[in-house]
Amino acid sequence: MDLLKKRIVEDGTVLPGNVLKVDNFLNHQVDTKLMDEIGKEFAKLFEGEKITKVVTVESSGIAPALMTALHLGVPLIFARKHKSLTLTDNLYTATVYSYTKRVSNDISVDKRFLNSEDRILIIDDFLANGQAVQGLLEIAKVANVQVAGIGIVIEKSFQKGRSMIEKTGVRLESLARIASLENQKVTFVE
Ligand code: 5GP
């Protein structure tokens, strides 16, 4: 998606540890017009997939996932993060290691919001090693819902997430694919 790539080049900064900072348009201050275009693009890519719900993890997945859900005309569910869960009877849960925060969190979705008739689209802001997506796939499996696809705003293709997802056979669509962040420079996959 050219509009997104242009914005990454203009406004993204590369931090140590292969972290791309995009907090002035994606995950702190949010460019709502760009998010709308991102939502439209995912909705176009996955139209015809009979998606019933869009699922993400709080908090930075919410903006692109919300716009995607709006354009698909379906509800958005965001898994909630907790330090560690004790009472889990009415929750689907998974443990996710955060790439940027370097801590593990349990994520959870209330059982009322997913059922076996659902066909979900997973959306997230970034794909690094695939931990967040894996947590959502685990929840989908236990909830017995079908996963129609995974939509990622910015994929760091030099990390392990893509190959992990490819092994599951689930369709993956990324709007910007980064080949390298070496020397503080963003290089896209051709
Ligand atoms: P993964 O679970 O795939 O290892 O990492 C994905 C999650 O970590 C995303 O939800 C995102 O919040 C965060 N993340 C991973 N890499 C980056 C990055 O380069 N920049 C930012 N801002 N967040 C990232």
Side-chain angles (χ1 to χ4, degrees), residues 18-20 27 60 99-100 124-126 128-132 156:
N18 281 324
V19 171
L20 178 66
N27 48 29
S60 48
Y99 182 82
T100 44
D124 207 1
D125 60 337
F126 271 89
N129 291 323
Q131 293 278 304
K156 294 188 290 180

Side-chain angles (χ1 to χ4, degrees), residues 13 15 17-23 26-27 56-61 81 96-101 123-135 152 154 156 158-162 164-165 178 181:
T13 46
L15 301 181
N18 281 324
V19 171
L20 178 66
K21 193 172 178 197
V22 285
D23 64 352
L26 183 56
N27 48 29
T56 190
V57 181
E58 71 173 356
S59 54
S60 48
K81 281 182 191 158
V96 169
Y97 179 77
S98 162
Y99 182 82
T100 44
K101 306 212 167 77
I123 296 284
D124 207 1
D125 60 337
F126 271 89
L127 179 65
N129 291 323
Q131 293 278 304
V133 168
Q134 188 147 40
I152 298 291
I154 303 175
K156 294 188 290 180
F158 55 91
Q159 291 178 317
K160 287 185 287 198
R162 170 167 277 266
M164 184 282 290
I165 292 170
I178 293 176
L181 292 174

